[in-house]
Amino acid sequence: MGPCPFCAVVADPTRARVVHEDAHTLAFFPLTPATWGHTMVVPRVHSADIWEMGEEEVGHLTRSVLTVGRMLRSVLAPAGMNIINSAGRAATQTVFHTHVHLVPRHHGDPMGDFWPPREAPRDEAALDELADRLRTAGLA
């Protein structure tokens, strides 16, 4: 798989346009932004995805996401913002170092609509059964 590109940026922040950093995280512009101001927040300590992180580390990451998101909102005044974390290949993760994308959005921007059509059939009994299973799993 090769060396981790985000660990390389953490080790040498001059490799990126860093917009925020603290003891636990680093935020910088990706090489190919989806929109103007698109920023990524990464933990300084390598983990392949968010599920490998402890709660305290996720808390640090989340606080930085909020800080950077507020900075973007203040400076760019976007109409909206996507906060995206992809975990695993099936979720379109391509760099296996936990990261969160902050994507400022404006109507008609190049990001477009990425949700599937909303016409999916609903199986109410299956949804009830899944909800019960999830509630039970939460008790374990």
Side-chain angles (χ1 to χ4, degrees):
M1 191 175 248
C4 174
F6 294 165
C7 285
V9 171
V10 168
D12 180 7
T14 64
R15 298 171 65 112
R17 284 190 173 87
V18 174
V19 298
H20 175 77
E21 62 182 304
D22 61 28
H24 305 282
T25 62
L26 196 67
F28 54 91
F29 296 149
L31 294 175
T32 55
T35 65
W36 183 249
H38 176 181
T39 305
M40 296 192 327
V41 183
V42 304
R44 289 184 180 272
V45 175
H46 183 86
S47 60
D49 61 40
I50 199 165
W51 306 114
E52 287 189 359
M53 297 176 70
E55 287 188 31
E56 186 174 343
E57 291 80 18
V58 172
H60 293 306
L61 179 62
T62 301
R63 280 188 288 283
S64 290
V65 166
L66 288 172
T67 297
V68 175
R70 288 179 179 129
M71 292 163 46
L72 289 164
R73 287 169 45 102
S74 172
V75 172
L76 298 177
M81 189 171 321
N82 288 113
I83 302 170
I84 304 167
N85 170 258
S86 300
R89 286 191 198 284
T92 69
Q93 183 180 8
T94 58
V95 177
F96 291 88
H97 181 121
T98 304
H99 57 286
V100 176
H101 296 266
L102 290 160
V103 185
R105 301 298 307 270
H106 293 279
H107 298 287
D109 67 32
M111 184 85 165
D113 187 8
F114 56 85
W115 290 103
R118 289 158 176 61
E119 302 162 6
R122 294 173 50 111
D123 181 336
E124 299 297 330
L127 287 171
D128 288 341
E129 189 268 335
L130 177 57
D132 287 341
R133 288 176 52 205
L134 290 169
R135 283 189 292 269
T136 301
L139 299 175

